[in-house]
Amino acid sequence: MKTRTRFAAITCLSLALLAGGAGNALAGEEFVVRGSDWTASSAEQKMAFLAGMVTMIEIEQEMQAKSKAKNVKSTVPALVDGLEDMTITDIKDAIDLHYAKNNDLETPVFHVIWDVAEANR
């Protein structure tokens, strides 16, 4: 589990570094991957970001299944339900299409992912 968590953290940090947000991310300031970061990133960087995100969703899903706490609010079930039939490439392509069709480069990538998941539920 620790290896998966470290991998996901390294993956997300890698995208931050490669997308130009390293200064803010490393300085402890809030860094949100937005459309401007996404569209400036290579396909490999986008896939690394999504691999990290998917890994974190899987870990959270496992933790929730093991947790005895009930009525915990989480985005994980909705994301899993909406994205389960999509590959990481499908998700990347959907995000790319969103930013190509819309002029909203300040919108966080996670918001676009959420919209994709909601559309598929």
Short mmCIF file of all heavy atoms in Angstrom, two decimals, residues 11-12 14-16 18-19 33-54 88-89 91-100 109 113:
data_model
loop_
_atom_site.label_atom_id
_atom_site.label_comp_id
_atom_site.label_asym_id
_atom_site.label_seq_id
_atom_site.Cartn_x
_atom_site.Cartn_y
_atom_site.Cartn_z
N THR A 11 3.87 10.55 -9.03
CA THR A 11 3.26 10.80 -10.33
C THR A 11 2.65 12.19 -10.38
O THR A 11 2.88 12.94 -11.33
CB THR A 11 2.17 9.74 -10.61
OG1 THR A 11 2.79 8.45 -10.60
CG2 THR A 11 1.52 9.96 -11.95
N CYS A 12 1.90 12.56 -9.35
CA CYS A 12 1.27 13.89 -9.33
C CYS A 12 2.32 14.99 -9.24
O CYS A 12 2.20 16.01 -9.91
CB CYS A 12 0.29 13.98 -8.17
SG CYS A 12 -1.18 12.96 -8.43
N SER A 14 5.32 14.78 -10.36
CA SER A 14 5.98 14.82 -11.68
C SER A 14 5.21 15.70 -12.64
O SER A 14 5.80 16.51 -13.35
CB SER A 14 6.10 13.42 -12.27
OG SER A 14 6.93 12.63 -11.47
N LEU A 15 3.88 15.56 -12.65
CA LEU A 15 3.10 16.41 -13.55
C LEU A 15 3.24 17.86 -13.14
O LEU A 15 3.40 18.73 -13.99
CB LEU A 15 1.62 16.01 -13.56
CG LEU A 15 0.79 16.88 -14.51
CD1 LEU A 15 1.19 16.66 -15.95
CD2 LEU A 15 -0.67 16.65 -14.32
N ALA A 16 3.20 18.12 -11.85
CA ALA A 16 3.35 19.51 -11.39
C ALA A 16 4.69 20.07 -11.83
O ALA A 16 4.78 21.20 -12.31
CB ALA A 16 3.22 19.57 -9.86
N LEU A 18 6.59 19.04 -14.35
CA LEU A 18 6.69 19.12 -15.80
C LEU A 18 5.73 20.15 -16.39
O LEU A 18 5.99 20.70 -17.45
CB LEU A 18 6.45 17.74 -16.42
CG LEU A 18 7.51 16.71 -16.03
CD1 LEU A 18 7.09 15.32 -16.49
CD2 LEU A 18 8.87 17.07 -16.59
N ALA A 19 4.64 20.40 -15.71
CA ALA A 19 3.67 21.35 -16.24
C ALA A 19 3.97 22.79 -15.84
O ALA A 19 3.25 23.69 -16.19
CB ALA A 19 2.26 20.97 -15.78
N VAL A 33 -4.18 21.67 -10.92
CA VAL A 33 -3.94 21.48 -12.35
C VAL A 33 -5.17 21.98 -13.10
O VAL A 33 -6.28 21.48 -12.92
CB VAL A 33 -3.65 20.00 -12.68
CG1 VAL A 33 -3.43 19.81 -14.18
CG2 VAL A 33 -2.44 19.51 -11.90
N ARG A 34 -4.96 22.98 -13.90
CA ARG A 34 -6.03 23.62 -14.67
C ARG A 34 -5.87 23.32 -16.15
O ARG A 34 -4.87 22.72 -16.56
CB ARG A 34 -6.02 25.13 -14.43
CG ARG A 34 -6.24 25.49 -12.97
CD ARG A 34 -6.33 26.99 -12.75
NE ARG A 34 -6.45 27.31 -11.33
CZ ARG A 34 -7.56 27.17 -10.61
NH1 ARG A 34 -8.65 26.74 -11.18
NH2 ARG A 34 -7.57 27.49 -9.33
N GLY A 35 -6.82 23.74 -16.92
CA GLY A 35 -6.78 23.51 -18.36
C GLY A 35 -5.53 24.06 -19.01
O GLY A 35 -4.99 23.45 -19.94
N SER A 36 -5.03 25.18 -18.53
CA SER A 36 -3.82 25.76 -19.10
C SER A 36 -2.62 24.83 -18.86
O SER A 36 -1.76 24.69 -19.73
CB SER A 36 -3.54 27.14 -18.51
OG SER A 36 -3.51 27.08 -17.11
N ASP A 37 -2.57 24.17 -17.69
CA ASP A 37 -1.51 23.21 -17.41
C ASP A 37 -1.69 21.96 -18.27
O ASP A 37 -0.74 21.42 -18.83
CB ASP A 37 -1.52 22.79 -15.93
CG ASP A 37 -1.40 23.98 -15.00
OD1 ASP A 37 -0.44 24.75 -15.16
OD2 ASP A 37 -2.27 24.13 -14.13
N TRP A 38 -2.94 21.51 -18.36
CA TRP A 38 -3.27 20.29 -19.12
C TRP A 38 -2.88 20.45 -20.58
O TRP A 38 -2.22 19.59 -21.16
CB TRP A 38 -4.75 19.98 -18.98
CG TRP A 38 -5.14 18.71 -19.66
CD1 TRP A 38 -5.65 18.57 -20.92
CD2 TRP A 38 -5.04 17.39 -19.12
NE1 TRP A 38 -5.87 17.24 -21.20
CE2 TRP A 38 -5.51 16.50 -20.11
CE3 TRP A 38 -4.61 16.87 -17.90
CZ2 TRP A 38 -5.55 15.12 -19.92
CZ3 TRP A 38 -4.65 15.51 -17.71
CH2 TRP A 38 -5.12 14.65 -18.71
N THR A 39 -3.30 21.54 -21.20
CA THR A 39 -3.06 21.72 -22.63
C THR A 39 -1.59 21.95 -22.94
O THR A 39 -1.15 21.73 -24.07
CB THR A 39 -3.91 22.87 -23.21
OG1 THR A 39 -3.62 24.07 -22.49
CG2 THR A 39 -5.40 22.55 -23.10
N ALA A 40 -0.81 22.38 -21.95
CA ALA A 40 0.63 22.58 -22.15
C ALA A 40 1.43 21.31 -21.88
O ALA A 40 2.64 21.29 -22.11
CB ALA A 40 1.12 23.70 -21.24
N SER A 41 0.76 20.26 -21.41
CA SER A 41 1.45 19.02 -21.04
C SER A 41 1.49 18.04 -22.19
O SER A 41 0.61 18.04 -23.06
CB SER A 41 0.73 18.36 -19.85
OG SER A 41 0.78 19.20 -18.73
N SER A 42 2.50 17.19 -22.16
CA SER A 42 2.62 16.13 -23.18
C SER A 42 1.62 15.01 -22.87
O SER A 42 1.07 14.94 -21.76
CB SER A 42 4.04 15.56 -23.18
OG SER A 42 4.27 14.81 -21.99
N ALA A 43 1.42 14.13 -23.82
CA ALA A 43 0.53 12.98 -23.61
C ALA A 43 1.03 12.13 -22.44
O ALA A 43 0.23 11.65 -21.63
CB ALA A 43 0.44 12.14 -24.88
N GLU A 44 2.35 11.99 -22.31
CA GLU A 44 2.91 11.20 -21.22
C GLU A 44 2.64 11.85 -19.87
O GLU A 44 2.34 11.18 -18.90
CB GLU A 44 4.43 11.01 -21.42
CG GLU A 44 4.79 10.12 -22.59
CD GLU A 44 4.76 10.83 -23.95
OE1 GLU A 44 4.70 12.09 -23.99
OE2 GLU A 44 4.78 10.13 -24.97
N GLN A 45 2.74 13.17 -19.80
CA GLN A 45 2.47 13.88 -18.56
C GLN A 45 1.00 13.74 -18.18
O GLN A 45 0.66 13.55 -17.01
CB GLN A 45 2.85 15.35 -18.69
CG GLN A 45 4.35 15.56 -18.79
CD GLN A 45 4.70 16.95 -19.25
OE1 GLN A 45 3.98 17.56 -20.03
NE2 GLN A 45 5.83 17.46 -18.78
N LYS A 46 0.12 13.84 -19.17
CA LYS A 46 -1.31 13.69 -18.91
C LYS A 46 -1.62 12.29 -18.39
O LYS A 46 -2.38 12.12 -17.43
CB LYS A 46 -2.11 13.97 -20.19
CG LYS A 46 -2.04 15.40 -20.66
CD LYS A 46 -2.69 15.56 -22.02
CE LYS A 46 -2.54 16.98 -22.54
NZ LYS A 46 -3.12 17.14 -23.88
N MET A 47 -1.01 11.28 -19.01
CA MET A 47 -1.24 9.90 -18.58
C MET A 47 -0.69 9.69 -17.17
O MET A 47 -1.30 8.97 -16.37
CB MET A 47 -0.61 8.94 -19.57
CG MET A 47 -1.26 8.98 -20.96
SD MET A 47 -2.99 8.52 -20.97
CE MET A 47 -2.81 6.75 -21.07
N ALA A 48 0.44 10.31 -16.84
CA ALA A 48 1.01 10.18 -15.49
C ALA A 48 0.06 10.80 -14.47
O ALA A 48 -0.17 10.22 -13.40
CB ALA A 48 2.38 10.85 -15.43
N PHE A 49 -0.49 11.96 -14.77
CA PHE A 49 -1.45 12.60 -13.87
C PHE A 49 -2.64 11.69 -13.65
O PHE A 49 -3.06 11.46 -12.51
CB PHE A 49 -1.91 13.94 -14.46
CG PHE A 49 -2.99 14.61 -13.67
CD1 PHE A 49 -2.68 15.39 -12.57
CD2 PHE A 49 -4.32 14.47 -14.04
CE1 PHE A 49 -3.69 16.01 -11.84
CE2 PHE A 49 -5.32 15.08 -13.31
CZ PHE A 49 -5.01 15.86 -12.21
N LEU A 50 -3.20 11.15 -14.73
CA LEU A 50 -4.38 10.29 -14.61
C LEU A 50 -4.06 8.98 -13.89
O LEU A 50 -4.88 8.49 -13.11
CB LEU A 50 -4.98 10.02 -15.99
CG LEU A 50 -5.60 11.26 -16.65
CD1 LEU A 50 -6.00 10.96 -18.08
CD2 LEU A 50 -6.78 11.77 -15.84
N ALA A 51 -2.88 8.43 -14.14
CA ALA A 51 -2.49 7.20 -13.43
C ALA A 51 -2.43 7.46 -11.93
O ALA A 51 -2.89 6.64 -11.13
CB ALA A 51 -1.14 6.70 -13.95
N GLY A 52 -1.89 8.60 -11.54
CA GLY A 52 -1.85 8.96 -10.12
C GLY A 52 -3.24 9.15 -9.55
O GLY A 52 -3.55 8.67 -8.45
N MET A 53 -4.11 9.82 -10.29
CA MET A 53 -5.47 10.05 -9.84
C MET A 53 -6.22 8.73 -9.67
O MET A 53 -6.87 8.49 -8.64
CB MET A 53 -6.22 10.96 -10.81
CG MET A 53 -7.60 11.35 -10.31
SD MET A 53 -8.68 11.92 -11.62
CE MET A 53 -9.10 10.36 -12.39
N VAL A 54 -6.11 7.86 -10.66
CA VAL A 54 -6.80 6.57 -10.61
C VAL A 54 -6.27 5.74 -9.44
O VAL A 54 -7.05 5.09 -8.72
CB VAL A 54 -6.65 5.82 -11.95
CG1 VAL A 54 -7.08 4.37 -11.83
CG2 VAL A 54 -7.47 6.53 -13.04
N ILE A 88 -7.83 4.83 -19.19
CA ILE A 88 -7.15 6.09 -18.90
C ILE A 88 -7.02 6.91 -20.19
O ILE A 88 -7.18 8.12 -20.17
CB ILE A 88 -5.79 5.84 -18.22
CG1 ILE A 88 -6.01 5.29 -16.82
CG2 ILE A 88 -4.97 7.13 -18.15
CD1 ILE A 88 -4.76 4.95 -16.05
N THR A 89 -6.79 6.23 -21.30
CA THR A 89 -6.71 6.93 -22.59
C THR A 89 -8.05 7.58 -22.94
O THR A 89 -8.09 8.71 -23.43
CB THR A 89 -6.26 5.97 -23.71
OG1 THR A 89 -4.98 5.43 -23.35
CG2 THR A 89 -6.16 6.67 -25.05
N ILE A 91 -10.28 8.67 -20.83
CA ILE A 91 -10.44 9.84 -19.95
C ILE A 91 -9.58 10.99 -20.46
O ILE A 91 -10.04 12.12 -20.55
CB ILE A 91 -10.09 9.48 -18.49
CG1 ILE A 91 -11.03 8.39 -17.97
CG2 ILE A 91 -10.14 10.72 -17.61
CD1 ILE A 91 -10.58 7.76 -16.66
N LYS A 92 -8.32 10.69 -20.83
CA LYS A 92 -7.43 11.71 -21.38
C LYS A 92 -8.05 12.35 -22.62
O LYS A 92 -8.08 13.58 -22.75
CB LYS A 92 -6.06 11.13 -21.73
CG LYS A 92 -5.09 12.18 -22.31
CD LYS A 92 -3.85 11.56 -22.89
CE LYS A 92 -4.02 10.95 -24.24
NZ LYS A 92 -4.44 11.85 -25.31
N ASP A 93 -8.58 11.51 -23.50
CA ASP A 93 -9.19 12.02 -24.73
C ASP A 93 -10.42 12.89 -24.44
O ASP A 93 -10.63 13.91 -25.10
CB ASP A 93 -9.56 10.87 -25.66
CG ASP A 93 -8.35 10.14 -26.23
OD1 ASP A 93 -7.22 10.69 -26.16
OD2 ASP A 93 -8.53 9.02 -26.75
N ALA A 94 -11.21 12.50 -23.44
CA ALA A 94 -12.39 13.29 -23.07
C ALA A 94 -11.97 14.66 -22.52
O ALA A 94 -12.60 15.68 -22.83
CB ALA A 94 -13.23 12.53 -22.05
N ILE A 95 -10.92 14.68 -21.73
CA ILE A 95 -10.42 15.95 -21.19
C ILE A 95 -9.87 16.81 -22.31
O ILE A 95 -10.16 18.01 -22.40
CB ILE A 95 -9.36 15.71 -20.10
CG1 ILE A 95 -9.96 14.94 -18.93
CG2 ILE A 95 -8.76 17.04 -19.64
CD1 ILE A 95 -8.92 14.37 -17.98
N ASP A 96 -9.08 16.21 -23.19
CA ASP A 96 -8.54 16.95 -24.34
C ASP A 96 -9.67 17.55 -25.18
O ASP A 96 -9.61 18.72 -25.58
CB ASP A 96 -7.70 16.02 -25.24
CG ASP A 96 -6.35 15.66 -24.65
OD1 ASP A 96 -5.86 16.38 -23.75
OD2 ASP A 96 -5.77 14.65 -25.11
N LEU A 97 -10.72 16.75 -25.42
CA LEU A 97 -11.85 17.22 -26.22
C LEU A 97 -12.55 18.38 -25.52
O LEU A 97 -12.91 19.37 -26.16
CB LEU A 97 -12.83 16.07 -26.46
CG LEU A 97 -14.05 16.40 -27.30
CD1 LEU A 97 -13.64 16.84 -28.71
CD2 LEU A 97 -14.98 15.19 -27.38
N HIS A 98 -12.71 18.27 -24.22
CA HIS A 98 -13.36 19.36 -23.47
C HIS A 98 -12.61 20.68 -23.65
O HIS A 98 -13.22 21.70 -23.97
CB HIS A 98 -13.45 19.02 -21.97
CG HIS A 98 -13.89 20.19 -21.16
ND1 HIS A 98 -15.23 20.48 -20.97
CD2 HIS A 98 -13.20 21.17 -20.54
CE1 HIS A 98 -15.33 21.58 -20.25
NE2 HIS A 98 -14.11 22.02 -19.98
N TYR A 99 -11.30 20.65 -23.43
CA TYR A 99 -10.53 21.89 -23.54
C TYR A 99 -10.42 22.37 -24.98
O TYR A 99 -10.32 23.58 -25.21
CB TYR A 99 -9.15 21.75 -22.89
CG TYR A 99 -9.25 21.68 -21.38
CD1 TYR A 99 -8.83 20.57 -20.68
CD2 TYR A 99 -9.77 22.76 -20.65
CE1 TYR A 99 -8.92 20.51 -19.29
CE2 TYR A 99 -9.88 22.70 -19.27
CZ TYR A 99 -9.45 21.58 -18.60
OH TYR A 99 -9.55 21.55 -17.23
N ALA A 100 -10.49 21.47 -25.95
CA ALA A 100 -10.46 21.88 -27.36
C ALA A 100 -11.77 22.58 -27.75
O ALA A 100 -11.75 23.52 -28.53
CB ALA A 100 -10.23 20.66 -28.26
N VAL A 109 -8.76 20.56 -13.95
CA VAL A 109 -8.91 19.29 -14.66
C VAL A 109 -9.85 18.36 -13.90
O VAL A 109 -10.67 17.67 -14.51
CB VAL A 109 -7.53 18.62 -14.89
CG1 VAL A 109 -7.68 17.23 -15.47
CG2 VAL A 109 -6.67 19.48 -15.81
N ILE A 113 -13.01 16.06 -15.19
CA ILE A 113 -13.12 14.62 -14.93
C ILE A 113 -14.45 14.32 -14.25
O ILE A 113 -15.14 13.35 -14.60
CB ILE A 113 -11.93 14.13 -14.09
CG1 ILE A 113 -10.63 14.25 -14.90
CG2 ILE A 113 -12.16 12.69 -13.62
CD1 ILE A 113 -9.37 14.05 -14.08
#
